[in-house]
Amino acid sequence: EIILGHFLSRVTTLPECDNSGKLTGPMRQVLKTEEKGSDVNLATELLNDCFQNKFDNAIIVSNDSDLIAPIKLIRESFGKRVTILNPHKDSPSTLLQQNADKRYTIEARYLKKSQFDLTLSDEKGAFYKPPQW
């Protein structure tokens, strides 16, 4: 089951950069989008499923250390197992990894196969995935 959060968007001013992150120009107004709530929603569903004894081993795809408290609770108080599938090869959360029974990194080739096409469109027209993604 996929547990979603929501996105907040706001206009802000940021410096112009190239694809490597190097500052290249003046400040620009941009629409900044941030994901909110998915960690709390996932923790809530994880605990609810645990309380209802719906699993023996939870498999969580995340690198978010905000999930440590519910993971500790279900392991220590309920004896459930937790496996972490980390989508971030270069910066795994040490605390999250230490509090899981098993941990794996999702290989980049599998993540690449799961991405959307380079060009997508909606009712407003075509839009493109940045080349560095």
Side-chain angles (χ1 to χ4, degrees):
E1 181 179 353
I2 297 172
I3 308 299
L4 299 174
H6 64 278
F7 288 91
L8 295 179
S9 297
R10 62 184 172 90
V11 175
T12 188
T13 304
L14 295 171
E16 187 175 287
C17 300
D18 64 17
N19 287 342
S20 71
K22 180 181 175 187
L23 298 179
T24 60
M27 299 293 280
R28 303 274 185 186
Q29 276 200 330
V30 298
L31 182 64
K32 184 176 180 180
T33 303
E34 295 179 86
E35 180 278 329
K36 295 289 193 184
S38 62
D39 54 347
V40 172
N41 293 348
L42 177 58
T44 302
E45 291 296 326
L46 181 64
L47 290 169
N48 186 49
D49 287 351
C50 177
F51 298 153
Q52 294 182 39
N53 201 29
K54 289 186 174 181
F55 67 87
D56 294 317
N57 182 16
I59 300 173
I60 300 170
V61 180
S62 182
N63 191 43
D64 192 338
S65 60
D66 288 345
L67 297 171
I68 290 170
I71 288 171
K72 279 184 173 181
L73 178 72
I74 67 171
R75 287 180 72 225
E76 294 170 7
S77 297
F78 293 89
K80 304 289 187 179
R81 298 177 52 80
V82 174
T83 300
I84 299 295
L85 297 179
N86 183 356
H88 301 281
K89 176 185 173 187
D90 297 329
S91 58
S93 165
T94 304
L95 287 173
L96 191 61
Q97 301 294 310
Q98 289 171 348
N99 285 282
D101 294 288
K102 292 184 180 178
R103 53 221 118 329
Y104 302 98
T105 299
I106 302 173
E107 294 180 31
R109 63 186 167 130
Y110 296 118
L111 291 173
K112 187 171 184 161
K113 285 181 182 181
S114 301
Q115 292 187 2
F116 289 119
D117 292 332
L118 294 175
T119 303
L120 297 170
S121 60
D122 63 11
E123 67 279 354
K124 295 181 182 178
F127 53 97
Y128 310 92
K129 180 170 64 172
Q132 67 274 22
W133 287 7

